[in-house]
Amino acid sequence: MADVGILATTKAAEQIAPRTLDGPSGPRPKRRFSRANIIVYGTLFIVAVYYALPLYVMIVTSLKGMPEIQMGNIFAPPIEVTFEPWVKAWSEACTGINCDGLSRGFWNSVNILIPSLIVSIAVASINGYALSMWKFKGSEVFFSILMIGAFIPYQVMLYPIVIMLREAGLYGSLSGLVLVHVAFGMPINTLLFRNYFAAIPEELFKAARVDGAGFWAIFFRIIMPMSLPIFVVALIIQVTGIWNDFLFGVTYISSPDRYPMTVQLNNIVNSVQGVKEYNVNMAATLLTGLVPLTIYFISGKLFVRGIAAGAVKG
Amino acid sequence: MASIDTDARSRAGRRPNRLFKNMNAKLASLPMMFTALVVFLGGTIWTITYSFTSSGLLPRLEWAGLEQYARLWSSRKWLVSIENLAIYGFLSLILTLVIAFILAALLDRKIRGEDTFRTIFLYPFALSFIVTGLVWQWILNPQFGVQDVVRDLGWTNFNFDPLNNPEIVLYGLLIAGLWQGTGLIMCIMLAGLRGIDEDIWKATRVDGIGTVKTYLVVIIPMMRPVFVTSLVLIGSGIVKLYDLVVAQTSGGPGISSEVPAKYVMTSMFGGQNLGQGFAASTMMMLSVIIILIPWAYLEFGGRKRG
């Protein structure tokens, strides 16, 4: 969760990513069970087990009852499968005085996510378009400041933004948080769009100009329709970044009943009161991770391309 | 001379409507200008300025010189935070690079099921640090987690309780952090390995150099840009380390897993001690700059590239 290394990585990704995505090339190895192969596959398999284990533990724990958790070990599959922890996590778990479960945080996150997505992608794509095809005096300066800003730790800008939002009367509200996401998502997405649009042949642009199309007409009727892939990549980066955000949610939302899902999840699991219900906690954790995981497994190679190009955000 | 003349003339001709030239593009870029100038640049300058004041509950322009910094560096919690970040950062940097490179090299051996392996190694990256921290908090739970499982297997004296032991709590964080982050670096390195010419491999095979030795002596030096990129990525990620600590340990036991980003957040929003927060965040920015300058020099200083 960082929007770092953008400059370098994009460059690397632009050159290399397409090739990576084709998978291995060249002839298949002939001997399948040579000693070297056993070492390669053995190591990969063991490491894969380590990486897959937490997801497995989450699923398994969330399907057990509390007595079974207290008796057995965390890696054992459930003897009696129960979906009660899921129901409880979704609609009954308590944070402070609210006991209506994670569903509240989920809908808050959705309410934050949708406007943030629309505004940030719209703004970033238009920035990228202006920066690549309608350069004006000073446009590169703004772009450079934006890129440098991406490397500065968020903590430096947190408080000034509190003041700005308070002045605008938006501090503590969802729309304030949306604006913050738009601002911090801007560097990486602008870079993404700018590089993509810069590769579009100039003749196309010139022909449209000769035909009398202006700034907006060229953008909506020519550039946008031919740039679908990059919009999808930006969408993936933004969805995972905004959904996984914790810092901005906890800083710019003032009342607990409007907290995004990650913040609420942390409050539920790390609350000190009451008996710890590990199965409910893991169900809640899994629920929160479900949105980015779904995006990840569906988008597959586009996700890899997205993160390689954007090298992380959030 | 002639060229300067024409230049001046054309500029003079355009002058009347220069501001309005390309008007739509400028209007459309207003959000970007605002973000760059006011939020990023303005915000940074604001924080640095106020780090030299005695701001407490509210920001106040009362000049206090370096007092906040003096207090910062005499605070035990800050010193622990810095030390933690240094240890965590060093180990995380080395281990991420090594593990990610080994995994990438293994995946590059023209194996079957590459996509499956890559999907498994990378999925943690899609998860938030909060989710990561909470899962590993559960797996490392002393009562039910790994420690308990190993004890049940017969090693009754087995002790591994990093989240309650100040001595090793950083390793608990490290296990989770590596799990979440290595996949990304692996992907970047894999892309780098794929970018290496097949002929290099043929040449080393002809010369009879072993596979491992080829990687160490030929391939790694060739991948320097990829390593530099990874280094910057990991480095700036480490400085931001915050959510993971909040979710997994809340800085505990005691203050043994505090980190600078958490110090900033606690002073600004918990301790009503804004000046400390500003000074600490300025120090964080300084450390990022220290990381970035050598990189920027390597990347852009040596030779001009696209």
Side-chain angles (χ1 to χ4, degrees):
Chain A
M1 316 194 71
D3 36 40
V4 164
I6 298 164
L7 302 165
T9 331
T10 319
K11 221 188 295 158
E14 296 284 292
Q15 295 158 358
I16 318 166
R19 252 209 274 175
T20 330
L21 304 176
D22 298 336
S25 53
R28 280 199 188 288
K30 280 177 208 122
R31 287 172 301 156
R32 219 175 294 158
F33 290 104
S34 68
R35 189 138 57 91
N37 261 351
I38 291 173
I39 294 174
V40 169
Y41 282 103
T43 319
L44 281 175
F45 185 74
I46 292 168
V47 179
V49 168
Y50 168 78
Y51 275 86
L53 208 61
L55 185 59
Y56 168 79
V57 169
M58 264 194 281
I59 297 172
V60 165
T61 307
S62 72
L63 296 175
K64 289 176 188 171
M66 266 319 277
E68 201 184 321
I69 289 177
Q70 269 145 3
M71 276 163 24
N73 85 45
I74 58 167
F75 301 117
I79 304 163
E80 248 179 279
V81 174
T82 164
F83 290 99
E84 207 183 318
W86 284 74
V87 176
K88 206 167 171 192
W90 178 253
S91 54
E92 288 164 38
C94 291
T95 39
I97 44 164
N98 296 317
C99 280
D100 44 8
L102 256 185
S103 54
R104 179 186 284 272
F106 175 83
W107 291 113
N108 286 341
S109 277
V110 170
N111 287 336
I112 296 164
L113 182 69
I114 307 276
S116 304
L117 275 183
I118 296 171
V119 179
S120 68
I121 291 183
V123 169
S125 59
I126 292 168
N127 285 345
Y129 171 60
L131 284 168
S132 57
M133 299 187 170
W134 297 85
K135 283 188 189 133
F136 51 89
K137 212 175 172 206
S139 62
E140 286 300 303
V141 177
F142 295 118
F143 180 64
S144 306
I145 297 174
L146 217 57
M147 289 300 113
I148 296 168
F151 284 96
I152 296 174
Y154 297 140
Q155 276 77 9
V156 176
M157 296 168 232
L158 282 184
Y159 203 84
I161 295 177
V162 169
I163 297 177
M164 288 176 214
L165 289 178
R166 201 181 279 147
E167 290 299 314
L170 293 171
Y171 179 63
S173 68
L174 292 186
S175 23
L177 184 57
V178 167
L179 288 181
V180 173
H181 280 305
V182 172
F184 284 102
M186 203 184 283
I188 169 59
N189 288 298
T190 301
L191 178 79
L192 212 63
F193 281 111
R194 172 185 172 265
N195 289 356
Y196 191 88
F197 294 154
I200 293 175
E202 208 183 345
E203 285 72 28
L204 207 66
F205 175 74
K206 278 182 181 155
R209 289 282 282 152
V210 169
D211 288 346
F215 185 85
W216 296 109
I218 296 180
F219 181 69
F220 286 114
R221 301 188 34 200
I222 297 170
I223 303 298
M224 249 173 88
M226 63 185 293
S227 307
L228 198 65
I230 202 69
F231 276 92
V232 176
V233 167
L235 199 76
I236 293 169
I237 295 179
Q238 285 298 81
V239 173
T240 40
I242 294 169
W243 194 270
N244 288 342
D245 161 67
F246 175 81
L247 183 66
F248 299 140
V250 88
T251 310
Y252 298 113
I253 295 290
S254 47
S255 86
D257 40 283
R258 270 178 302 187
Y259 275 150
M261 204 173 186
T262 43
V263 180
Q264 207 200 356
L265 169 74
N266 186 52
N267 289 348
I268 288 177
V269 178
N270 280 329
S271 83
V272 268
Q273 306 136 334
V275 189
K276 288 236 171 198
E277 291 181 287
Y278 297 107
N279 50 358
V280 176
N281 288 350
M282 280 304 110
T285 310
L286 204 50
L287 274 169
T288 311
L290 225 47
V291 169
L293 273 185
T294 313
I295 301 263
Y296 173 70
F297 286 117
I298 291 177
S299 62
K301 283 171 179 175
L302 263 178
F303 183 91
V304 181
R305 203 172 133 191
I307 59 148
V312 223
K313 91 150 281 274
Chain B
M1 274 318 249
S3 72
I4 293 171
D5 267 343
T6 47
D7 216 342
R9 212 178 308 137
S10 67
R11 220 184 298 152
R14 250 184 249 156
R15 184 154 295 160
N17 54 2
R18 201 160 116 212
L19 188 69
F20 298 103
K21 196 182 157 253
N22 211 346
M23 197 58 202
N24 276 327
K26 284 174 187 167
L27 279 178
S29 304
L30 279 178
M32 177 177 76
M33 295 179 195
F34 179 82
T35 308
L37 291 182
V38 180
V39 181
F40 288 2
L41 193 61
T44 307
I45 294 171
W46 191 93
T47 299
I48 296 174
T49 312
Y50 275 81
S51 74
F52 296 107
T53 67
S54 60
S55 304
L57 177 60
L58 289 169
R60 231 178 316 160
L61 259 182
E62 258 176 22
W63 206 249
L66 289 172
E67 194 196 299
Q68 297 289 357
Y69 291 92
R71 262 176 64 200
L72 184 68
W73 285 101
S74 58
S75 149
R76 209 177 86 76
K77 197 168 146 194
W78 174 255
L79 293 175
V80 170
S81 305
I82 289 286
E83 194 193 326
N84 280 345
L85 194 69
I87 298 170
Y88 178 92
F90 176 76
L91 292 174
S92 162
L93 203 64
I94 303 291
L95 289 173
T96 308
L97 286 178
V98 170
I99 296 171
F101 183 79
I102 292 175
L103 290 180
L106 289 175
L107 284 187
D108 196 40
R109 300 270 74 207
K110 296 186 179 111
I111 58 152
R112 278 158 185 276
E114 185 200 318
D115 279 352
T116 314
F117 281 120
R118 197 184 47 206
T119 306
I120 294 174
F121 296 153
L122 190 61
Y123 88 87
F125 187 73
L127 295 171
S128 62
F129 275 121
I130 297 294
V131 168
T132 306
L134 294 178
V135 176
W136 282 97
Q137 190 192 57
W138 170 234
I139 294 177
L140 296 175
N141 183 307
Q143 227 182 323
F144 307 109
V146 173
Q147 178 176 280
D148 179 59
V149 171
V150 176
R151 280 183 187 173
D152 281 352
L153 289 175
W155 289 279
T156 43
N157 290 324
F158 180 77
N159 265 322
F160 188 65
D161 185 11
L163 302 188
N164 294 307
N165 181 347
E167 302 278 306
I168 54 170
V169 64
L170 284 183
Y171 302 106
L173 288 175
L174 201 60
I175 291 174
L178 288 176
W179 176 77
Q180 206 261 359
T182 35
L184 168 73
I185 305 297
M186 181 204 75
C187 272
I188 292 171
M189 293 213 173
L190 189 59
L193 285 172
R194 290 278 149 76
I196 281 171
D197 204 326
E198 271 297 306
D199 292 344
I200 305 273
W201 281 104
K202 282 180 196 150
T204 56
R205 222 166 293 145
V206 169
D207 287 347
I209 306 173
T211 311
V212 175
K213 199 177 168 194
T214 308
Y215 272 118
L216 291 178
V217 182
V218 182
I219 304 294
I220 290 183
M222 285 181 72
M223 278 176 50
R224 207 186 70 158
V226 177
F227 273 92
V228 174
T229 303
S230 310
L231 216 69
V232 172
L233 263 176
I234 306 168
S236 349
I238 288 168
V239 178
K240 287 180 182 159
L241 181 68
Y242 171 68
D243 324 20
L244 184 66
V245 178
V246 170
Q248 208 181 347
T249 68
S250 317
I255 57 164
S256 53
S257 61
E258 289 286 340
V259 285
K262 193 160 173 292
Y263 185 94
V264 173
M265 291 299 283
T266 333
S267 354
M268 281 204 295
F269 299 106
Q272 297 172 342
N273 204 342
L274 286 176
Q276 276 294 290
F278 298 150
S281 54
T282 307
M283 292 312 301
M284 284 177 69
M285 187 176 76
L286 214 60
S287 57
V288 171
I289 292 173
I290 292 169
I291 296 172
L292 283 184
I293 284 180
W295 168 71
Y297 181 76
L298 280 174
E299 191 81 348
F300 305 109
R303 55 208 148 113
K304 275 267 177 213
R305 273 190 280 165

